[in-house]
Amino acid sequence: MAGLDGIEQPRGHSRATAARWSPAVEDETAAKALELFGNPTEAEVPLPSRPESAATARRLTQVVVLRQWGLTPKMTEDAVLLVSELVGNAVRHTGARVFGLRMRRRRGWIRIEVRDPSRGLPCLMPVQEMDISGRGLFLVDKLSDRWGVDLLPRGKTTWFEMRVADR
């Protein structure tokens, strides 16, 4: 890498590493995203299939999981990372103009869904420690309790679920 000669790079561990997001810092734009785009717990939120929509999906996930559902910062961090990966796949690989984001909570579980009009199935690829791309579904597989794809008459829904402690 240019400009990094002679600087030791961090070594990966057995668990995948990714950029860290901290829910400790309140993000006012998260609440604004909810106002602008709608609440993904009430109905599917349509978002334009552009890279910047990943930030909107992260903000919506943050405000729902942390503030609305009152779950832990760690659960929020993981959900934000995984929704970003699913949205990234929808934007990069489907050719869609719009995708949908939906979030559900039931006793003991949360479920986050990304719907797009492509019927092409995502593939969980083997990942090597030095890979710089292709880790999206690997992260989803490692950090969620279960995930899958539901084929629809026009498109598919890719989803993940995480166990939560109900109070």
Side-chain angles (χ1 to χ4, degrees):
M1 290 185 230
L4 297 179
D5 295 332
I7 298 175
E8 185 174 337
Q9 298 299 307
R11 302 263 185 238
H13 300 290
S14 61
R15 185 173 165 184
T17 57
R20 304 288 278 176
W21 168 85
S22 174
V25 177
E26 180 61 36
D27 184 0
E28 286 183 27
T29 56
K32 288 180 185 174
L34 201 60
E35 291 174 30
L36 284 172
F37 295 97
N39 189 333
T41 66
E42 296 170 0
E44 182 178 285
V45 172
L47 295 169
S49 189
R50 295 192 305 254
E52 54 271 20
S53 289
T56 302
R58 286 191 299 271
R59 289 182 182 113
L60 290 169
T61 302
Q62 172 194 347
V63 76
V64 167
V65 175
L66 187 64
R67 304 288 176 229
Q68 199 172 342
W69 290 343
L71 300 176
T72 67
K74 176 63 175 139
M75 174 71 64
T76 303
E77 178 182 5
D78 288 349
V80 165
L81 173 62
L82 299 186
V83 81
S84 187
E85 296 299 339
L86 292 188
V87 167
N89 285 348
V91 169
R92 243 182 259 107
H93 301 297
T94 67
R97 291 185 179 172
V98 175
F99 66 89
L101 176 67
R102 179 93 166 118
M103 301 175 68
R104 304 167 193 263
R105 183 170 182 186
R106 66 181 194 278
R107 187 174 181 90
W109 294 90
I110 65 169
R111 178 180 174 113
I112 299 180
E113 305 172 347
V114 174
R115 187 188 56 77
D116 65 68
S118 169
R119 289 182 52 87
L121 296 175
C123 296
L124 178 59
M125 303 296 286
V127 175
Q128 302 299 316
E129 189 172 324
M130 297 303 291
D131 289 348
I132 58 172
S133 67
R135 292 178 173 261
L137 285 179
F138 172 79
L139 291 171
V140 172
D141 189 58
K142 292 299 177 196
L143 297 177
S144 69
D145 289 294
R146 56 187 175 208
W147 70 276
V149 179
D150 297 330
L151 283 176
L152 306 170
R154 292 193 174 131
K156 68 179 173 302
T157 299
T158 307
W159 53 268
F160 67 87
E161 293 181 336
M162 300 169 82
R163 285 193 176 108
V164 297
D166 286 319
R167 299 172 209 206

